[in-house]
Amino acid sequence: MSQKVAVLGTGKIGEALLSGMIRAGWAPTDLLVTARRRERAEELHARHGVTPVSNQEAAKTADTLILTVKPQDMGALLDELAPHVPADRLIISGAAGIPTAFFEDRLATGTPVVRVMTNTPALVDEAMSVISAGSHATADHLAHAEEIFGAVGKTLRVPESQQDACTALSGSGPAYFFYLVEAMTDAGILLGLPRDKAHDLIVQSAIGAATMLRDSGEHPVKLRENVTSPAGTTINAIRELENHGVRAALIAALEAARDRSRELASGTKD
């Protein structure tokens, strides 16, 4: 943890990562940040004690660079960084859809790159971060990335070929649950419940169900069957979900998200 880590383009997720790292034991003096606006950089310094720097200064002084800018801005950032990044710097990308080869082609030969797709529950230390190695990243580089992102949730190593699928499943995944809760809340109102009570019922049910999935070791089919009595209320609801093609719609939605991730990757190439 004595190594210097720089977060470039520090937005909400970047700030959550910094906050988690500090709670996990990193010294704020070892954490550097860059931001598009000076006021944002000063805010991060005041809130967390981290050091605001320029992108070039971060490239020269940090041992690890975490790039959290938007995919469409990554090419310009790499053009700015390339003259200042030695080949022994670890580059961690958090940009959706951009392959490690995109970074390797623009930086010094042999630069280690690790690709990470995290998600917004990093804001509450419940992220799912999926980690893949580039051509020059070693097991130590992957372990370092896991140490960093483990400060805000769980991590999982996958081959880079699976990153687009993981982006669709967990990177975008929280939005699907929020969408479902929104729809169920509307249903509760239709059934005669006040919005706040419908919301509380659904959120606690979601927390309880997720905890059972995580801790019980049971297959979701088994857990669902435990709630589904013969000729009862639940099986009637499940029948309607099947009649309306909810399962097929979810599969199609995740395929669409995966395909968009691939499009983002192809769009970054010269």
Side-chain angles (χ1 to χ4, degrees):
M1 294 185 186
S2 61
Q3 289 194 341
K4 288 193 177 295
V5 176
V7 179
L8 280 66
T10 312
K12 288 184 179 180
I13 296 296
E15 184 175 5
L17 187 59
L18 287 169
S19 179
M21 292 172 68
I22 292 169
R23 290 193 300 276
W26 267 268
T29 51
D30 288 332
L31 301 177
L32 312 178
V33 296
T34 77
R36 187 185 298 272
R37 295 181 296 106
R38 181 178 179 180
E39 296 81 6
R40 171 62 173 163
E42 292 173 350
E43 178 185 90
L44 291 167
H45 172 69
R47 188 175 296 160
H48 303 290
V50 296
T51 304
V53 295
S54 67
N55 290 331
Q56 293 183 8
E57 187 177 354
K60 293 175 182 177
T61 59
D63 301 288
T64 300
L65 304 177
I66 304 174
L67 312 186
T68 62
V69 300
K70 295 178 180 178
Q72 59 268 32
D73 297 328
M74 192 63 78
L77 176 62
L78 290 177
D79 288 342
E80 181 182 357
L81 296 178
H84 310 285
V85 177
D88 62 349
R89 292 285 189 270
L90 172 59
I91 305 297
I92 299 177
S93 166
I98 303 183
T100 55
F102 180 81
F103 300 87
E104 294 167 350
D105 290 345
R106 287 159 174 77
L107 299 173
T109 301
T111 300
V113 180
V114 172
R115 179 176 170 182
V116 180
M117 172 48 59
T118 191
N119 58 16
T120 56
L123 298 168
V124 292
D125 291 347
E126 290 291 348
M128 183 69 252
S129 300
V130 184
I131 297 175
S132 302
S135 301
H136 310 294
T138 66
D140 287 342
H141 293 132
L142 287 173
H144 187 49
E146 287 174 331
E147 184 181 22
I148 291 171
F149 283 84
V152 292
K154 295 187 68 174
T155 63
L156 178 69
R157 294 188 194 185
V158 301
E160 189 171 10
S161 61
Q162 296 177 359
Q163 273 280 355
D164 291 323
C166 292
T167 296
L169 209 63
S170 65
S172 300
Y176 313 147
F177 287 97
F178 299 147
Y179 182 85
L180 180 61
V181 168
E182 178 188 0
M184 291 178 69
T185 301
D186 287 343
I189 295 169
L190 179 66
L191 297 174
L193 292 170
R195 178 175 293 276
D196 59 341
K197 288 185 171 58
H199 176 82
D200 289 347
L201 287 167
I202 295 160
V203 169
Q204 184 55 41
S205 295
I207 292 170
T211 302
M212 290 178 71
L213 279 168
R214 183 190 64 192
D215 296 345
S216 70
E218 295 281 3
H219 193 281
V221 170
K222 176 63 174 175
L223 293 174
R224 178 178 61 78
E225 288 176 345
N226 289 343
V227 189
T228 310
S229 303
T233 58
T234 305
I235 192 59
N236 274 272
I238 296 295
R239 180 188 63 187
E240 288 303 311
L241 291 172
E242 294 292 352
N243 286 343
H244 286 82
V246 172
R247 186 187 303 266
L250 282 171
I251 293 171
L254 268 67
E255 287 179 328
R258 179 208 56 196
D259 293 345
R260 179 55 180 157
S261 183
R262 290 174 176 173
E263 289 173 2
L264 288 172
S266 63
T268 60
K269 296 178 181 178
D270 293 334

